[in-house]
Amino acid sequence: QVQLVESGGGLVQPGGSLRLSCVASGRFLSTSVMHWSWHRQSPGKQRDLVASITSGGDTKYADSVKGRFTISRDNAKNTVYLQMNGLKSEDTADYYCRLFGAIRNYWGQGTQVTVSS
């Protein structure tokens, strides 16, 4: 079984920064050939894609976070990161990481981010 564990969420003031991490674990797991993404979901809303990074390192971002968020990966640590700068109240949500490939698809349990003064 593959498990994803997120960390780094919390309460931050508007304009502040947070760095989310998501670590994957499991037997015979090789995240280097898989893709990662971060998603977020607010109460009553659908889960939306925030950022993604392919096995080759190509990145994509939602328009709402471009220039503020940066996704990166460390294959040796089976970890993906989401550096979030210039946080706004509308960034408040539960953030989920996803590890996926052609067949496999795994989700983390989520970490809460609250942006408030």
Side-chain angles (χ1 to χ4, degrees), residues 54-73:
T54 68
S55 57
D58 294 328
T59 59
K60 288 185 179 180
Y61 297 92
D63 288 342
S64 59
V65 306
K66 280 182 181 177
R68 300 188 298 123
F69 290 11
T70 302
I71 188 171
S72 61
R73 62 189 294 164

Side-chain angles (χ1 to χ4, degrees), residues 1-116:
Q1 289 288 344
V2 173
Q3 288 188 324
L4 305 184
V5 178
E6 298 108 332
S7 61
L11 173 64
V12 64
Q13 292 186 342
S17 299
L18 284 175
R19 187 195 195 204
L20 306 183
S21 301
C22 176
V23 181
S25 62
R27 292 186 67 187
F28 311 117
L29 178 65
S30 178
T31 61
S32 63
V33 297
M34 301 178 73
H35 316 302
W36 289 97
S37 59
W38 284 97
H39 304 251
R40 66 187 181 187
Q41 186 171 21
S42 302
K45 295 186 177 181
Q46 67 180 17
R47 187 174 296 185
D48 292 328
L49 175 67
V50 174
S52 64
I53 184 166
T54 68
S55 57
D58 294 328
T59 59
K60 288 185 179 180
Y61 297 92
D63 288 342
S64 59
V65 306
K66 280 182 181 177
R68 300 188 298 123
F69 290 11
T70 302
I71 188 171
S72 61
R73 62 189 294 164
D74 185 333
N75 293 332
K77 296 181 179 180
N78 289 335
T79 301
V80 67
Y81 305 96
L82 185 68
Q83 178 66 44
M84 305 186 294
N85 299 327
L87 283 162
K88 305 175 182 179
S89 58
E90 51 262 44
D91 295 318
T92 295
D94 291 325
Y95 284 71
Y96 299 86
C97 62
R98 178 189 179 209
L99 175 67
F100 60 101
I103 299 175
R104 294 174 291 176
N105 184 33
Y106 307 105
W107 287 90
Q109 83 289 350
T111 185
Q112 189 174 54
V113 172
T114 302
V115 184
S116 175

